[in-house]
Amino acid sequence: MAIPLSPSSVLSALKSAGLNVVEVKSWKTHNRNKMGPWGPVNGVMIHHTGAYSSQSSMVGMCYNGHSALPGPLCHAVIDKSGTVHLVSAGRANHAGRGDGDVLRAVIAETSLPLRNEADTDGNTHFYGTELINRGDGKDPWPEVQVDAAARWAAALCLKHGWSERSVIGHLEWQPGKIDPKGFSMDSFRARVAKHLKGNSGGIKPPSKGKPTPTAPTYPGRGAFGPGKVNASVLQLGKQLVRKGFGTHYKVGPSKTWGEADRLNVAAFQRSRGWAGKDADGYPGPETWRLLFK
């Protein structure tokens, strides 16, 4: 049981965990506190978003909500590049009513019982993140995204002195829910435990693992567009796939520029919060730099 972290504490914890964080609009004061208590907080809940038209539109929906459910719909949205978009620091509409026995197990950090009731307001007690994924078994789960989610959860647990037992999935809380679908919560908690193990002062920065291929010098805007065929187009496409932004490729990236390249680049640009000409799908030097970061 704990007092919710302040926005500055959340931000500090996530950055200390090596996460790339985007602060969305007035997230620090954007909440549903008028509808009920926020805290004491007892744990962390993991969701997937379900169907989405674009990652940027989903971040917007999680901030604003929709006709059936006002926003914010979570505290953080984690996109396929592993970027954490902060949308609230208070009570959010994400957990709904779930099983009080599950909450008691989270507080005690013991094995979870089967959820079979909806008698407790989870929005009071849980931080929540939405991971952008359709949850249909076909939408990929980039390693960088799942690892960022585990780091997000571990960073909050570390601040509160919780173990991985304080991390649950929506499907473990509320009857009828299936999210997150695509990985088990036991394996996810094992990731969180690994990040927490041996960390008394903070979570280690992400392991470099296999080195990302060194990006060539930005070749200039003229290398990209209809009719362009060169190695830079292929390098760009491969990096988009590595970052989780290759969904528009039906076959795979090649040296020949195509509409799939433009759409994938635009999706990456929108994930950075860009719009208009800044998200036109043609990589400028800043897009190139961030892709290979």
Side-chain angles (χ1 to χ4, degrees):
M1 184 178 296
I3 297 172
L5 297 174
S6 68
S8 59
S9 292
V10 169
L11 197 57
S12 174
L14 300 186
K15 289 186 175 181
S16 294
L19 290 164
N20 182 32
V21 179
V22 173
E23 299 181 67
V24 180
K25 299 181 181 178
S26 55
W27 74 277
K28 293 179 180 179
T29 56
H30 185 51
N31 57 60
R32 297 283 291 167
N33 291 1
K34 65 181 181 180
M35 302 305 296
W38 168 228
V41 288
N42 305 105
V44 175
M45 190 173 294
I46 310 299
H47 307 257
H48 71 238
T49 58
Y52 63 96
S53 57
S54 70
Q55 295 196 87
S56 58
S57 65
M58 180 51 70
V59 172
M61 179 183 290
C62 288
Y63 184 91
N64 296 311
H66 49 78
S67 58
L69 192 65
L73 304 184
C74 57
H75 297 96
V77 186
I78 302 179
D79 68 25
K80 289 183 176 295
S81 72
T83 297
V84 179
H85 303 261
L86 296 177
V87 297
S88 179
R91 180 183 173 93
N93 276 334
H94 73 97
R97 299 188 70 80
D99 196 314
D101 291 333
V102 172
L103 177 61
R104 284 183 279 277
V106 170
I107 293 172
E109 295 198 318
T110 58
S111 297
L112 299 176
L114 178 65
R115 80 283 187 268
N116 56 17
E117 295 182 304
D119 58 5
T120 302
D121 179 10
N123 295 333
T124 295
H125 300 286
F126 290 95
Y127 298 102
T129 187
E130 289 281 357
L131 310 185
I132 297 182
N133 191 280
R134 293 184 176 88
D136 58 3
K138 299 177 182 179
D139 197 9
W141 284 102
E143 168 64 21
V144 68
Q145 182 184 28
V146 180
D147 183 64
R151 287 177 178 280
W152 173 85
L156 297 179
C157 288
L158 188 64
K159 277 287 189 180
H160 285 295
W162 299 334
S163 78
E164 73 280 4
R165 289 285 188 178
S166 290
V167 181
I168 66 172
H170 198 194
L171 78 172
E172 295 174 310
W173 168 248
Q174 193 175 55
K177 296 299 182 181
I178 65 169
D179 57 316
K181 184 177 180 179
F183 54 83
S184 74
M185 282 306 301
D186 283 340
S187 67
F188 186 83
R189 279 186 283 268
R191 284 177 177 265
V192 175
K194 185 176 180 180
H195 287 311
L196 289 172
K197 187 178 180 180
N199 283 302
S200 59
I203 299 168
K204 294 178 181 178
S207 171
K208 294 185 181 299
K210 293 182 180 180
T212 301
T214 302
T217 302
Y218 176 61
R221 171 65 179 77
F224 309 105
K228 301 297 181 180
V229 181
N230 56 67
S232 294
V233 173
L234 178 59
Q235 182 81 24
L236 172 75
K238 287 182 175 180
Q239 191 66 1
L240 285 165
V241 171
R242 291 188 188 98
K243 291 284 190 177
F245 290 88
T247 56
H248 290 283
Y249 291 126
K250 293 183 179 179
V251 178
S254 72
K255 290 184 178 181
T256 302
W257 177 270
E259 180 63 4
D261 294 294
R262 191 191 69 79
L263 292 173
N264 286 329
V265 171
F268 174 76
Q269 291 168 330
R270 289 194 299 270
S271 78
R272 312 299 301 187
W274 302 347
K277 291 182 178 180
D278 292 330
D280 61 3
Y282 295 99
E286 183 65 4
T287 297
W288 188 263
R289 182 187 71 79
L290 291 171
L291 262 174
F292 288 94
K293 184 177 178 182

